[in-house]
Amino acid sequence: QVQLMESGGGLVQAGGSLRLSCVASGTIRGISDVGWYREAPGKPREWVATISGGNTDYAGSAEHRFTISKDNVKKMVYLQMNNLKPEDTAVYYCNAVISGSPDWRFRNYWGQGTQVTVTS
């Protein structure tokens, strides 16, 4: 069964950095678009960044501070977050469109999330 699992969250002071990781496991034939989303308390889940092939795209709040990258061999996606701000505090989720066992149809998967807390 295909699963996504995030790691790398934690507590950091404003101005600091964190690197989130997301690994895909299971019997996988292909991975299409991969993105990071976040959900702050009392707010809807919002898109942060996407990587598709060699192209990346960022929400305005993430541009110039966050970098999304991937390692196709390891089936991992990363989100390097620099100059973090208290408003970046949220649970961060990995999202990917994956072709996996048993029927190889592309489906949308979510990880369980990792907490990022930025203190002022």
Side-chain angles (χ1 to χ4, degrees):
Q1 184 175 355
V2 174
Q3 290 184 322
L4 295 175
M5 180 170 291
E6 304 94 336
S7 61
L11 180 68
V12 64
Q13 287 189 327
S17 298
L18 282 174
R19 187 194 195 205
L20 305 183
S21 300
C22 172
V23 61
S25 62
T27 306
I28 295 171
R29 175 174 288 176
I31 301 176
S32 181
D33 299 355
V34 185
W36 287 94
Y37 292 72
R38 67 187 183 186
E39 188 170 331
K43 295 184 178 181
R45 188 172 299 188
E46 65 174 1
W47 168 69
V48 175
T50 298
I51 185 164
S52 177
N55 299 317
T56 59
D57 199 8
Y58 299 92
S61 59
E63 202 155 16
H64 308 305
R65 298 189 300 128
F66 294 2
T67 302
I68 188 170
S69 61
K70 65 178 180 176
D71 184 326
N72 290 329
V73 173
K74 295 182 179 179
K75 297 185 180 62
M76 293 195 71
V77 177
Y78 307 97
L79 186 68
Q80 177 66 44
M81 305 187 294
N82 298 327
N83 190 21
L84 283 161
K85 305 175 181 180
E87 51 263 43
D88 294 318
T89 295
V91 178
Y92 283 71
Y93 296 91
C94 177
N95 172 264
V97 179
I98 298 174
S99 168
S101 174
D103 60 11
W104 312 116
R105 297 173 67 178
F106 277 94
R107 288 188 170 84
N108 195 38
Y109 293 89
W110 291 91
Q112 84 292 345
T114 185
Q115 176 71 47
V116 171
T117 302
V118 184
T119 60
S120 57

